[in-house]
């Protein structure tokens, strides 16, 4: 059996030369962002001069190491630029230095995972599995999951800004730093079981503030309680889609924004500012091979919308990738509803972070009966049905009443 340490040693990180000119894209220059959304920055940013990855100093210390933008700088807005200038909030708002530092280290981890996922030397690891008590054999973590988990944990440790990390790959949370201001919940590599077929995968994360009122409790207890916060307390959340492009989609509490990894510079560049999901779409995303296991309400809803007999007179199309991040990304851009009607997806690691992201984009997130962000988690690996998408589509689906699948015969692939 391959050891994680051996796998880690075999990884290579893509180096991004700066001599290659970036492609001509419809990007958002930093000047435009600061003029239309953000307050003017106090200093320019030379993105190639970021502090070392192990540096846990404040963002001000990071910024102090940078020089002003040179005359040949493209001026486009990176994730760190964006967060450091308010994160999409109204003029004069700020997300705080600690959160900017945390995001810098988190995006670095995701760049490493993107390189790992795309490597021809590591793709076969997706077929292997390791023993775990956290789920079924079908959902058992693969070496790629474990390596991705270790990459994220290492980056969060180096940030110096995280008290505890709770991961879908771990049975219990990992306490990192007593005075870390943030709590991070994460699904390190969603969809990894299909990676050998080059199906898109993703990382999902949520960020909470540490509950200082729990500081007096034993480590194990405060680690778990900090990780079981209700979704409406999230400070930030997002996902990274590893596909034909690597896209980091994030909300810092002021809208939803997407950044695309530029391979010529190694930077996440703002490409989708202030995403607004259409109020109604024309696409539903679900594994309808399970149609005969669905409750009557869900079957009736699907039958109705694909015949064009619902509230929208247009016939709906089915689009299903079987990769949660990829299906949701398409839904954010085009509208409609992405769903898993059975108790399968985890509230803490998938439901809450994605629900916050969707609502910040003007969409709706439900378990078929309740708003996701209003549900109080009681277990770290608590599962639930999940319906994400356009407000009118999710509301119409809920109106059919019985849409949660209770029959679960145990599907195998």
């Amino acid at each position: 059996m391959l050891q994680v340490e051996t796998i880690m040693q075999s990884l290579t990180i893509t180096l991004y030369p700066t001599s290659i000119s970036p492609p001509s894209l419809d990007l958002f220059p930093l000047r435009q962002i600061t003029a239309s959304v953000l307050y003017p920055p106090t200093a320019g940013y030379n993105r190639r001069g970021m502090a070392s990855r192990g540096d846990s100093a404040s963002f001000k210390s990071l910024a102090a190491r940078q020089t002003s933008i040179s005359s040949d700088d493209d001026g486009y807005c990176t994730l760190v630029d964006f967060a450091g200038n308010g994160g999409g909030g109204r003029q004069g708002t700020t997300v705080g230095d600690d959160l900017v530092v945390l995001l810098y280290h988190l995006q670095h981890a995701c760049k490493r995972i993107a390189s790992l996922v795309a490597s021809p030397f590591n793709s076969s690891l997706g077929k292997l599995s390791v023993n775990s008590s956290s789920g079924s054999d079908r959902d058992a973590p693969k070496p790629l999951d474990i390596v991705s988990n270790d990459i994220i944990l290492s980056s969060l440790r180096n940030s110096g800004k995280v008290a505890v990390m709770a991961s879908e790959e771990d049975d219990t949370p990992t306490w990192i730093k007593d005075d870390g201001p943030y709590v991070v919940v994460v699904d390190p590599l969603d969809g990894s079981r299909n990676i050998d077929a080059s199906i898109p995968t993703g990382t999902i994360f949520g960020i909470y503030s540490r509950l200082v009122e729990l500081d007096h409790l034993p480590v194990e207890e405060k680690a778990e309680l900090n990780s079981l916060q209700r979704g409406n307390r999230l400070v930030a959340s997002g996902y990274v889609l590893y596909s034909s492009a690597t896209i980091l989609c994030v909300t810092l509490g002021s809208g939803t924004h997407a950044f695309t990894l530029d391979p010529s510079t190694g930077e996440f560049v703002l490409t989708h500012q202030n995403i607004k999901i259409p109020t109604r779409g024309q696409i539903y995303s679900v594994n309808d091979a399970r149609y005969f296991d669905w409750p009557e309400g869900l079957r009736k809803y699907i039958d109705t919308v694909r015949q064009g007999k619902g509230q929208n007179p247009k016939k709906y199309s089915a689009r299903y990738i079987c990769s949660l991040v990829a299906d949701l990304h398409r839904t954010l851009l085009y509208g409609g509803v992405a769903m898993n009607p059975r108790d399968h997806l985890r509230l803490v690691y998938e439901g809450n972070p994605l629900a916050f992201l969707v609502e910040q984009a003007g969409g709706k997130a439900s378990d078929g009966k309740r708003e996701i962000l209003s549900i109080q988690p009681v277990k770290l690996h608590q599962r639930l049905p999940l319906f994400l998408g356009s407000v009118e589509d999710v509301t119409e689906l809920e109106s059919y009443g019985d849409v949660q699948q209770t029959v679960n015969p145990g599907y195998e692939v």
Side-chain angles (χ1 to χ4, degrees), residues 61-238:
S61 296
L62 292 175
R65 295 168 183 252
Q66 303 172 25
T67 60
S68 60
I69 298 177
S70 61
S71 59
D72 62 346
D73 194 287
D74 54 40
Y76 293 123
C77 184
T78 69
L79 174 63
V80 174
D81 293 332
F82 188 77
N85 284 284
R90 284 184 279 183
Q91 185 173 342
T93 61
T94 178
V95 300
D97 295 348
D98 289 340
L99 184 55
V100 177
V101 173
L102 171 53
L103 288 171
Y104 168 70
H105 286 269
L106 188 57
Q107 61 138 17
H108 168 67
C110 293
K111 292 174 190 176
R112 293 184 63 192
I113 295 172
S115 180
L116 165 67
V117 167
S119 171
F121 303 107
N122 297 300
S123 60
S124 61
L125 296 178
K127 302 177 183 179
L128 306 176
S129 62
V130 296
N131 295 326
S132 172
S133 60
S134 62
S136 66
D137 290 341
R138 184 170 181 245
D139 293 325
K142 311 295 189 293
L144 277 174
D145 298 274
I146 302 303
V147 173
S148 299
N149 192 62
D150 288 346
I151 287 172
I152 293 174
L153 177 59
S154 175
S155 287
L156 297 185
R157 287 187 190 277
N158 289 339
S159 76
K161 304 301 179 184
V162 178
V164 59
M165 182 186 102
S167 169
E168 182 177 309
E169 306 306 332
D170 298 326
D171 294 331
T172 58
T174 301
W175 191 261
I176 297 175
K177 194 172 188 284
D178 287 343
D179 61 349
Y182 292 111
V183 175
V184 176
V185 296
V186 63
D187 181 354
L189 193 59
D190 182 76
S192 62
R193 66 188 177 88
N194 290 322
I195 201 167
D196 54 308
S198 295
I199 292 175
T201 55
T203 294
I204 304 169
F205 63 89
I207 301 172
Y208 297 91
S209 294
R210 186 184 95 249
L211 299 174
V212 295
E213 59 269 29
L214 303 178
D215 286 351
H216 66 286
L217 297 175
V219 168
E220 294 79 5
E221 186 175 354
K222 65 183 179 182
E224 181 171 359
L225 291 176
N226 269 287
S227 304
L228 290 175
Q229 296 185 56
R230 191 179 279 118
N232 56 21
R233 297 179 64 96
L234 278 162
V235 173
S237 72

Side-chain angles (χ1 to χ4, degrees), residues 351-374:
N352 278 335
L354 297 181
F356 186 45
L357 196 76
V358 167
E359 290 197 2
Q360 285 292 315
K364 186 172 183 178
S366 169
D367 72 345
K369 297 180 179 179
R370 301 169 292 174
E371 293 182 356
I372 295 296
L373 297 181
S374 69

Side-chain angles (χ1 to χ4, degrees), residues 250-302:
V250 66
T251 178
L252 305 179
S254 298
T256 296
H257 315 276
F259 301 77
T260 302
L261 184 62
D262 179 358
S264 70
T265 63
E267 293 290 352
F268 281 105
V269 178
L270 181 62
T271 50
H272 301 74
Q273 183 187 357
N274 200 24
I275 295 172
K276 292 297 181 185
I277 184 171
T279 56
R280 181 177 289 280
Q282 201 179 335
I283 298 172
Y284 70 89
S285 180
V286 66
N287 185 356
D288 54 10
R290 314 305 183 196
Y291 178 90
F292 295 104
D293 293 329
W294 292 347
E296 181 180 354
L298 183 58
R299 291 201 305 269
K300 185 176 180 181
Y301 168 77
I302 294 297

Side-chain angles (χ1 to χ4, degrees), residues 373-387:
L373 297 181
S374 69
I375 301 173
Q376 175 61 57
V378 295
K379 296 187 298 183
L380 285 169
H381 294 275
Q382 178 177 339
R383 298 175 185 256
L384 81 171
L386 190 59
F387 303 87

